[in-house]
Amino acid sequence: MQYWRSFSTGLVLLLITVPCMTFAQAEYEYLAQYSAANPDLSLSTSPQYPGPHEQVRVTARSAVGGLDTDTLIWYVDGKEVDQGSGLTSITVSTGALGSSTDISVQTLLGGVATLSIKPVELDLLWESDSYTPPFFRGRALPSAGSTLNLQAVPRFKRSDGTFVPSSDIIFTWRKGSSIIASVSGRGKSSARIPGPTLFGHDTFSVEARSVDGGFAAQTSVQVTSIEPILDLYQNSPLFGVEYHDALGVSPVSESEAVLHATPYYLAGGDPHDSGLQYQWSVNGQTVPTNTLKPEELTVNADQSDGVARVGLSLTSATDFFLSVARTWTISLVGIVGDSKSNPFGITP
Amino acid sequence: MNAALSALKYVLIGLTVAMFVGLVAWYLFLHVKQGAITQTDAARGAGAPAPVSGSFGSTYQNIIAGLSGSFTAVSSAVQSTSTSTQPRLWHISITPAAGFGFMSVSASSSPKVRYVERSTGYVFDADADTRTIERVTNTLTPQVYDASVSVDGRIVERTLESGVITTIIGSTTQTDTGLGVLATTPLARNISSISFSPNGKEIFGIVSSALGTVGIRSLSDGSKPKQIFSSGIAGWHTQWLNDGRIILIQNSSDNISGYAYELTSSGSLLLLASGSGLSVLPQSDSVRVVYGLSTQSGLSLYVRLRPDAPPVALPVKTVADKCVWLQNGPTLFCAVPRVAVPSGFLDAWHRGEVHTSDQWWKIDVATGNAEALTLSDTPIDVQGPVIDAHSQYIIFRNAADQSLWGLRIAE
């Protein structure tokens, strides 16, 4: 009897223990399989390189999947901020430059991923080497054949308040999707790259990474090529070229004037290039070009009021894409001021 | 016998009369000839004061003569009535001015404007209260395209030689003859932008060459130069604020991103503002910044009261270059185009293709309240306004003709 009681007790224990152990084994194997995949648990941000005081979306991903049904617990700077089943992303705000926001996520099954967000700034400045007159306060815009000057200004601020110098940053320059290796490298924060073609546009980008890998940023700009613009100014013997007042708006208060043409945004930057051809015309008639100053034309209304239709065509013997022309109606107001016959044959 | 004597008497009388008449005629002939000679000599300038002795100079007189159609003798000083009866808007000089600035005076003294005449490089001083203009120098520098004036009266003049910018800097020195000279020192060639330090003793300039663009700080005579900045970008213009900060603003263009920075003493760049068609006006001794944008929608103006504060749109649409801060406080004076300008205005304005007719506004950037000043309707395209140290006057140039204007803002 006693033997039978002991046998019954052992059998009951066995019937309880074996299923439990089997379940635990299956659970362990499941966990082992899932835990083995946890190194693929990763975090990504959008935007990829956030700036200071910016909203950032942080997303968790797993190569083996399963996060949609898993419970994720999110921590920001060590403090739990949210949790939920299938909660694969949260939104956080970055701090000021120099700050760091630590993000971590845990799954209920023990998966962990961490990320440290350090806000960065990267400016991309550009201009063209095209022609603009002295003292001009506008931007030199690109035309066909011009070269762009680009400058990257990174602001990678460490927690101690210092900035990573450009000499410790690797810059990778791209035109479109192509890396320009010749201007890329450590400390190469500025670059000269051929501009867009005639009537075209290109995207220029720069990626900056600190040599210690602690900071990274990327930015881009789209640049469009334009045609050069011809403007005409009076070259006064007293005041010089009057760049502040392009002709065509107000009359010239003299009967004789030296007209100075300025080809804004001319590729190559030199309006006196020997390959350039200035062709002037007055009232439809071609006039000889001053070989010493081809960009200038002297008109004389012979002491009477006159209206002249002045035309200029600018081409280049070396650049077949350059062809700019413009016509101005110039009113010359003579000092005498009487209404003699108009020597230009055009009535206003 | 008596008949002979009588005949002789008549002959003598006749000869006497004839001689008298002849002498009178000869006198009249000589008088007329002398008058003609005097006129000829006067036309050649004999007896006229030498150009050096005229306070305005022959260029000013010639232009006045050309504009008015008659020669007007101008005295060495133009007196006016008391300040309270004078109009607030003052046409300081109708001839183009290359540059201008306020000189340092005490709070109780009348603001003093110093400006450089573009055609001659002559330096003039103007008293804002009495509206007196006085020529200071006799040193001729033709075709001065740009000039700067420091608070202690130093002058920078920039001209063109074969298309290359040449820069000289100098101080005025008095002579025994009354008019002074501008003792100058040449600086580096191709200085694209230059500004004086707040006390006038230093200068900062942007110099471009085939090797790149650098920013050089030196004493005002050009000695002890020190490079504190380098860039792959050549198109900058500079401001040196009264609090010592050097500001670099990238040359702007419509719809194209631009940047403005504070240049630190170590040469690093701190971002001040960025945006399309950017123009910037930081306030000295303050963190306030006003900046303008030029986009497809036209012009807009914003203020940022603190570095971490979001920008606030101001109720006027203009370029920040047409604005000036009151020396202290959140008040801004802006010249605003009376007619809204279309897209693409900024580039056309820089090229001189368009000019605006502006109205002055007083804006409290803290509250956003704006008040238009009631002035004459004279069309003025305001350029480069500056304010005196005691916030009484603003001087500016009319971009259309480069003439110099003053505006009394103190009530």
Side-chain angles (χ1 to χ4, degrees), chain B residues 255-324:
Chain B
N255 302 309
I256 290 177
S257 61
Y259 295 86
Y261 299 96
E262 175 190 335
L263 177 63
T264 68
S265 55
S266 62
S268 58
L269 298 176
L270 302 181
L271 183 67
L272 196 63
S274 64
S276 297
L278 183 70
S279 56
V280 178
L281 184 70
Q283 186 179 29
S284 182
D285 294 308
S286 169
V287 295
R288 299 187 195 100
V289 176
V290 155
Y291 64 94
L293 302 179
S294 180
T295 64
Q296 297 279 8
S297 310
L299 298 179
S300 54
L301 197 66
Y302 299 87
V303 63
R304 202 178 62 232
L305 297 174
R306 298 182 312 278
D308 58 344
V312 177
L314 293 175
V316 296
K317 296 184 184 302
T318 186
V319 182
D321 296 351
K322 287 176 176 282
C323 299
V324 62

Side-chain angles (χ1 to χ4, degrees), chain A residues 23-296:
Chain A
F23 178 78
Q25 179 68 19
E27 184 75 9
Y28 175 74
E29 288 177 355
Y30 173 76
L31 281 175
Q33 179 186 25
Y34 192 68
S35 296
N38 279 343
D40 294 329
L41 187 65
S42 61
L43 294 175
S44 63
T45 61
S46 177
Q48 186 179 6
Y49 305 110
H53 307 294
E54 195 170 343
Q55 297 282 90
V56 182
R57 187 172 184 82
V58 185
T59 303
R61 289 188 174 86
S62 170
V64 297
L67 290 182
D68 292 342
T69 56
D70 205 341
T71 298
L72 291 89
I73 307 169
W74 291 90
Y75 299 86
V76 177
D77 292 331
K79 188 176 174 183
E80 181 179 331
V81 295
D82 206 350
Q83 64 166 300
S85 174
L87 184 65
T88 56
S89 65
I90 61 169
T91 300
V92 298
S93 293
T94 58
L97 279 180
S99 67
S100 177
T101 304
D102 296 319
I103 311 293
S104 65
V105 64
Q106 287 183 355
T107 66
L108 205 57
L109 299 179
V112 176
T114 61
L115 177 71
S116 181
I117 301 177
K118 297 178 184 177
V120 293
E121 287 180 327
L122 180 62
D123 303 334
L124 181 53
L125 289 71
W126 70 268
E127 66 180 16
S128 169
D129 69 345
S130 60
Y131 175 75
T132 55
F135 310 106
F136 182 63
R137 287 171 67 95
R139 183 83 58 91
L141 300 177
S143 59
S146 63
T147 300
L148 291 191
N149 298 324
L150 297 123
Q151 171 90 44
V153 181
R155 282 181 295 281
F156 294 171
K157 192 173 184 180
R158 304 185 184 99
S159 56
D160 61 2
T162 60
F163 286 91
V164 179
S166 291
S167 55
D168 288 340
I169 299 175
I170 299 169
F171 296 91
T172 305
W173 293 93
R174 289 182 173 85
K175 180 178 179 179
S177 58
S178 304
I179 293 176
I180 313 294
S182 59
V183 297
S184 300
R186 181 170 175 169
K188 294 195 174 182
S189 60
S190 61
R192 282 176 57 84
I193 302 175
T197 54
L198 183 65
F199 303 126
H201 58 85
D202 282 316
T203 299
F204 297 85
S205 61
V206 62
E207 181 183 337
R209 291 186 178 278
S210 60
V211 293
D212 62 3
F215 295 91
Q218 183 177 4
T219 188
S220 63
V221 65
Q222 186 173 75
V223 177
T224 302
S225 171
I226 65 170
E227 271 201 320
I229 295 174
L230 283 175
D231 270 323
L232 203 63
Y233 304 95
Q234 186 177 358
N235 189 353
S236 163
L238 285 177
F239 309 119
V241 180
E242 297 181 344
Y243 292 113
H244 60 272
D245 193 20
L247 292 179
V249 176
S250 51
V252 178
S253 58
E254 284 141 21
S255 63
E256 176 175 312
V258 176
L259 308 179
H260 181 99
T262 299
Y264 285 89
Y265 320 126
L266 179 72
D270 183 7
H272 304 106
D273 186 89
S274 58
L276 290 175
Q277 294 162 340
Y278 290 80
Q279 188 61 64
W280 292 92
S281 66
V282 178
N283 299 332
Q285 294 183 354
T286 302
V287 295
T289 302
N290 184 335
T291 53
L292 293 178
K293 290 187 176 182
E295 72 278 11
E296 290 190 349

